């Protein structure tokens, strides 16, 4: 028995219909801790580089962390991971809600799903009882609709994760949905589940998590909750959640606008946190054990051109990223329209970040004459929510133009041609999150070097750019590396980072509670070393799985280095290629990577990844 852990790994082979339960290896737990760490280790060891992301050979890993489900703030985070159909490399996405704790209570630290079922199926995990059940009656239905139906059928004490029609149709940015509006949104894990014909995973658990010092955990957990409540940010941030940052991002010239053509959106005041609160908010909604519920449960009207004008719908959100990508980036200036598009994505099972990017890309293609009324099936325009709703529906069902757009902007641009590669806004195949980086070198470097592609959750460095000078490159590589170790550590431990990021919760608490939970005396530096190990392992995964992977994969789209921002606070700014190279040179050197962005053998060995070094050398990839 390991304290802090469920103690078991559940391996399910859908092709044979069999499952196996193994003890969680202590060495893996000590070296990779859990969550994203387990996902990276299991995928690196388990996947052949020839594995196609949407083939039965791919695996989906669902992993909680050693702090998941424990009495401390925000301990409800879980990782979904697979070889990504968006990038062809390592992919994962982190999700809140109640699945992480439930899985631990059922006794599992990770679920490994491989193979593919013949018929639509769902996986039921009820403590030790595991079943693969027929799911034909749920297939084709919305993600949230399916969650409700399964809870009606199984009982409300189950926790359910689902995919929507987009996952079934293998849309490369399909998400996994849970708790009526929480998503593992990024990197297309929903499509991987769809390729395996898995509509849902239902979990119910009744076991206790063993703790090294239960009384100590109770006392420290209480102290942590009280410290959260005492932070000024608790009252200032919670009423708006992440939507509260909208005006600030616009004021600093970093708000994605009309497919990242600009970084300033004149309509931002109509889609900010204040508008959300005034016009559509019903109540706050939080994840397991969260003292600062950032979820904003809202009610909104249908939109013109959606075919569902008279509908009134509930949605969790929109949170900031959705506001940025389905709002400003699509030129939409009505919070109700943004919320409705959020609802459309949620039911279809689409990531709102990539969804907003892809829709905006299609609209720009239309405005530039690369697409037309005939190829699209209707007119498209920025600012028209009907255009966006139409595109999202087409994408999720792979109908008409939607069939190409469903593969993401990188592949769509290669098919459309006409110079559209210049404004296909992605890195490594993953569409860019809600911070325009042309006047933010640290944020730019964060996108460039993130293992999964351009995702802000690895390193949210925009505040550092604003605080330290946005024309200077000095110190940016150091900060990005620091953030790339600190932020992913939360995914490894299975807890939410927003208590720290948004209200300034002190990091030393995690160092203090970790040994009380596990009995292991890790210093903060030890924990960061685990994070660095995982960072290098996912880079190694990309090197192993993507032919020619290296520096060339780290560059952003040409728009970010060649087209100065046309208006707003960042007017005239972009980061030319020579400066991007300076950033990469410094970053690689500080990480102990080669000029081409590959970890050296010495770096891998220093981090205890000897087997990875040997593997890559044997394959001629180092
Ligand atoms: Fe969930 Fe938001 Fe709370 Fe984090 S801050 S645990 S994402 S509700």
């Amino acid at each position: 028995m390991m304290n802090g852990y469920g103690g078991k790994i559940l391996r399910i082979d859908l092709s044979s219909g069999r499952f196996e339960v193994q003890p969680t290896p202590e060495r893996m737990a000590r070296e990779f801790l859990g969550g994203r760490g387990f996902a990276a280790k299991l995928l690196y060891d388990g996947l052949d580089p020839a594995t196609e992301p949407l083939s039965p050979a791919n695996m989906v890993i669902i992993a909680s962390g050693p702090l998941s489900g424990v009495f401390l703030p925000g301990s409800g985070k879980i990782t979904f991971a697979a070889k990504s159909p968006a990038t062809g490399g390592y992919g994962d996405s982190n999700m809140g809600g109640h699945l992480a704790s439930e899985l631990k209570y059922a006794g599992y630290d990770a679920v490994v799903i491989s193979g593919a079922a013949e018929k639509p199926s769902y996986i039921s995990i009820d403590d030790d009882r595991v079943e693969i059940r027929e799911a034909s009656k749920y297939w084709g239905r919305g993600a949230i609709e399916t969650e409700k139906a399964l809870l009606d059928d199984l009982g409300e004490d189950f926790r359910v994760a689902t995919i929507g029609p987009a996952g079934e149709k293998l849309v490369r940015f399909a998400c996994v949905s849970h708790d009526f509006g929480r998503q593992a949104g990024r990197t297309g894990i929903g499509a991987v589940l769809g390729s395996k014909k898995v509509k849902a995973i239902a979990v119910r658990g009744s076991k206790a998590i063993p703790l090294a010092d239960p009384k100590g955990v109770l006392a420290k957990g209480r102290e942590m909750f009280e410290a959260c409540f005492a932070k000024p940010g608790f009252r200032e941030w919670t009423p708006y959640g992440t939507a509260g940052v909208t005006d600030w991002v616009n004021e600093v010239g970093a708000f994605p606008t009309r497919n990242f053509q600009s970084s300033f959106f004149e309509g931002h005041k109509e889609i900010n946190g204040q508008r959300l609160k005034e016009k559509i908010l019903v109540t706050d909604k939080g994840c397991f054990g969260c003292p600062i519920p950032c979820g904003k449960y809202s009610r909104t009207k249908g939109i013109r051109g959606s075919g569902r004008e008279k509908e009134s719908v509930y949605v969790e959100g929109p949170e900031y990223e959705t506001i940025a990508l389905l709002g400003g980036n699509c030129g939409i200036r009505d919070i109700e329209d943004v919320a409705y598009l959020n609802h459309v994505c949620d039911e279809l099972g689409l990531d709102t970040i990539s969804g907003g990017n892809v829709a905006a890309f299609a609209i720009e293609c239309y405005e530039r004459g690369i697409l037309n009324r005939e190829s699209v099936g209707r007119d498209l325009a920025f600012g028209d929510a009907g255009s966006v709703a139409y595109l999202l529906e087409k994408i999720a069902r792979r109908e008409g133009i939607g069939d190409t757009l469903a593969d993401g902007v990188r592949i769509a641009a290669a098919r459309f041609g006409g110079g559209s590669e210049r404004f296909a806004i992605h890195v490594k195949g993953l569409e860019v999150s809600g911070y325009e980086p042309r006047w933010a070198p640290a944020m730019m470097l964060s996108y460039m070097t993130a293992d999964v592609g351009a995702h802000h959750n690895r390193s949210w460095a925009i505040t550092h750019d604003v605080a330290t000078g946005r024309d200077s490159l000095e110190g940016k590589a150091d900060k990005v590396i620091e953030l790339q170790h600190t932020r992913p550590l939360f995914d490894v431990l299975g807890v939410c980072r927003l208590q720290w990021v948004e209200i300034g919760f002190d990091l030393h608490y995690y160092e203090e509670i970790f040994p009380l939970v596990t009995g292991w005396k890790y210093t903060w530096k030890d924990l960061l070393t685990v994070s660095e190990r995982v960072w290098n392992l996912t880079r190694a995964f990309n090197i192993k799985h993507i032919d020619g992977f290296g520096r060339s994969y780290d560059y952003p789209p040409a728009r970010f280095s060649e087209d100065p921002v046309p208006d707003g606070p960042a007017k005239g700014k972009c980061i030319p290629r020579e400066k991007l190279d300076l950033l990469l040179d410094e970053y690689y050197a500080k990480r102990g990577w080669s000029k081409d962005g590959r970890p050296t053998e010495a770096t891998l060995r220093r981090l205890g990844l000897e087997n990875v070094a040997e593997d890559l050398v044997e394959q001629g990839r180092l």
Side-chain angles (χ1 to χ4, degrees):
M1 183 189 79
M2 281 188 299
N3 289 312
Y5 289 86
K8 292 179 291 184
I9 291 179
L10 172 62
R11 289 182 180 270
I12 300 170
D13 175 17
L14 293 161
S15 298
S16 66
R18 297 211 177 96
F19 72 92
E20 189 187 348
V21 176
Q22 301 169 332
T24 304
E26 181 165 345
R27 184 169 171 197
M28 181 170 88
R30 284 187 179 267
E31 291 179 355
F32 296 92
L33 294 180
R36 205 161 78 79
F38 277 11
K41 171 74 174 155
L42 291 165
L43 287 174
Y44 189 93
D45 290 351
L47 288 185
D48 184 274
T51 305
E52 288 294 329
L54 297 175
S55 72
N58 200 359
M59 306 191 308
V60 172
I61 313 290
I62 308 170
S64 59
L67 300 188
S68 303
V70 175
F71 176 65
L72 62 110
S75 63
K77 287 286 188 165
I78 195 160
T79 292
F80 279 72
K83 183 169 180 176
S84 166
T87 68
Y90 174 80
D92 77 22
S93 199
N94 194 257
M95 183 170 78
H98 298 260
L99 202 67
S101 47
E102 203 68 26
L103 196 64
K104 286 277 288 281
Y105 299 155
Y108 304 103
D109 299 307
V111 181
V112 181
I113 304 169
S114 58
E118 275 180 20
K119 292 183 188 156
S121 305
Y122 77 92
I123 296 167
S124 169
I125 302 169
D126 190 0
D127 277 331
D128 299 333
R129 193 167 160 199
V130 178
E131 290 175 77
I132 302 164
R133 296 182 181 160
E134 162 110 28
S136 297
K137 74 173 186 174
Y138 308 109
W139 200 251
R141 293 169 73 176
I144 292 175
E145 184 192 348
T146 300
E147 182 175 358
K148 170 86 172 64
L150 268 164
L151 290 175
D152 286 347
D153 292 351
L154 298 176
E156 292 201 347
D157 47 353
F158 272 84
R159 303 293 183 180
V160 175
T162 63
I163 62 167
E168 297 170 17
K169 292 285 184 185
L170 313 184
V171 175
R172 287 175 198 262
F173 47 97
C175 66
V176 183
S177 177
H178 162 62
D179 198 28
F180 301 97
R182 292 273 156 189
Q183 284 86 18
R186 308 237 66 197
T187 75
I189 312 298
V192 183
L193 282 175
S195 74
K196 297 182 179 304
K197 292 249 181 317
V198 173
K199 181 68 179 174
I201 298 121
V203 182
R204 181 168 65 177
S206 64
K207 302 179 190 352
I209 300 171
L211 299 171
D213 179 352
K215 283 191 182 150
V217 170
L218 198 60
K220 186 57 67 181
R222 184 173 292 131
E223 190 186 330
M224 290 171 80
F225 275 102
E226 282 167 2
C228 263
F229 294 136
K231 286 273 170 197
F234 171 68
R235 293 198 195 291
E236 291 154 17
W237 183 80
T238 307
Y240 306 104
T242 60
V245 81
T246 307
D247 287 345
W248 178 82
V249 181
N250 204 57
E251 277 159 22
V252 300
F255 195 68
T257 301
R258 292 179 278 274
N259 197 35
F260 289 81
Q261 291 182 83
S262 177
S263 63
F264 175 78
F265 184 48
E266 63 287 352
H268 69 101
K269 287 211 179 296
E270 296 309 315
I271 56 174
N272 63 12
Q274 193 68 38
R275 275 288 178 276
L276 188 159
K277 196 160 187 289
E278 285 165 8
K279 289 182 82 172
I280 58 174
L281 181 66
V282 176
T283 187
D284 294 344
K285 181 167 173 275
C287 308
F288 176 88
C290 181
I292 56 164
C294 71
K296 302 297 151 207
Y297 204 65
S298 307
R299 184 176 181 179
T300 187
K301 63 177 171 51
I303 49 176
R304 280 179 297 129
S306 69
R308 294 187 255 170
E309 289 78 358
K310 293 194 180 136
E311 235 177 65
S312 166
V313 296
Y314 289 94
V315 62
E316 181 175 338
E319 52 86 50
Y320 171 73
E321 296 296 327
T322 305
I323 286 174
L325 277 313
L326 286 173
N329 205 42
C330 290
I332 290 168
R333 54 167 75 211
D334 180 339
I335 192 68
E336 293 197 71
D337 283 349
V338 177
Y340 187 85
L341 294 170
N342 190 163
H343 161 78
V344 170
C345 282
D346 286 3
E347 275 298 5
L348 294 172
L350 289 168
D351 171 29
T352 57
I353 297 178
S354 285
N357 266 283
V358 174
F361 168 76
I363 295 170
E364 186 170 351
C365 283
Y366 185 89
E367 290 197 340
R368 292 179 185 274
I370 298 167
L371 297 177
N372 54 41
R373 190 183 168 87
E374 198 185 345
S375 57
V376 173
R378 61 162 280 164
D379 293 327
L380 297 177
F382 284 116
D384 172 31
S387 294
V388 181
Y390 172 84
L391 289 166
L392 295 172
E393 297 273 2
K394 290 284 176 196
I395 289 166
R397 305 192 194 285
R398 280 192 176 271
E399 291 171 358
I401 193 72
D403 192 26
T404 301
L405 294 172
D407 287 331
V409 299
R410 178 170 65 173
I411 293 174
R415 293 198 193 129
F416 293 160
S420 59
E421 293 90 345
R422 283 187 59 76
F423 54 85
I425 307 298
H426 72 92
V427 178
K428 300 180 180 64
L430 189 75
E431 290 78 15
V432 176
S433 302
Y435 307 91
E436 219 288 359
R438 276 180 283 185
W439 195 26
M443 196 68 231
M444 184 81 89
L445 186 62
S446 302
Y447 287 144
M448 291 163 72
T449 55
D451 49 1
V452 293
H455 189 11
H456 66 288
N457 89 332
R458 296 314 207 236
S459 158
W460 189 65
I462 182 76
T463 50
H464 178 76
D465 282 312
V466 172
T468 61
R470 301 169 67 179
D471 294 313
S472 161
L473 305 189
E474 202 183 328
K476 300 300 193 276
D478 279 323
K479 188 65 186 182
V480 169
I481 291 170
E482 178 197 320
L483 288 172
Q484 286 176 342
H485 293 166
T486 312
R487 290 176 66 93
L489 186 56
F490 288 86
D491 301 345
V492 167
L493 294 172
V495 291
C496 180
R497 68 175 67 81
L498 292 186
Q499 288 74 17
W500 162 60
V501 174
E502 301 291 357
I503 69 167
F505 190 61
D506 302 314
L507 287 173
H508 70 80
Y509 281 118
Y510 300 99
E511 184 185 0
E512 288 167 8
I513 202 163
F514 181 80
L516 300 172
V517 173
T518 62
W520 298 341
K521 306 270 182 267
Y522 282 53
T523 63
W524 184 247
K525 191 163 170 271
D526 294 333
L527 293 172
L528 289 178
T529 299
V530 173
S531 201
E532 184 181 6
R533 182 177 299 130
V534 175
W535 192 263
N536 279 269
L537 183 58
T538 52
R539 185 80 178 183
F541 182 99
N542 287 343
I543 291 166
K544 181 175 175 180
H545 283 255
I546 301 173
D547 288 337
F549 184 88
R551 189 182 192 102
S552 64
Y553 279 76
D554 287 343
Y555 290 111
R559 171 161 287 165
F560 288 172
S561 56
E562 294 175 11
D563 301 345
V565 177
D567 53 18
K571 185 175 178 182
K573 303 291 183 184
C574 66
I575 305 182
R577 183 85 168 212
E578 314 84 75
K579 285 196 171 180
L580 297 181
D581 278 325
L582 289 175
L583 281 168
L584 283 179
D585 286 345
E586 187 184 354
Y587 175 91
Y588 292 161
K590 285 179 183 291
R591 277 218 169 272
W593 294 1
S594 72
K595 285 282 247 182
D596 194 38
R598 290 155 190 259
T600 62
E601 227 183 305
T603 298
L604 292 172
R605 288 184 189 281
R606 173 177 64 78
L607 293 166
L609 296 170
E610 293 87 356
N611 59 330
V612 174
E614 282 157 23
D615 184 34
L616 293 182
V617 168
E618 195 181 307
Q619 294 192 30
R621 300 217 172 208
L622 263 198

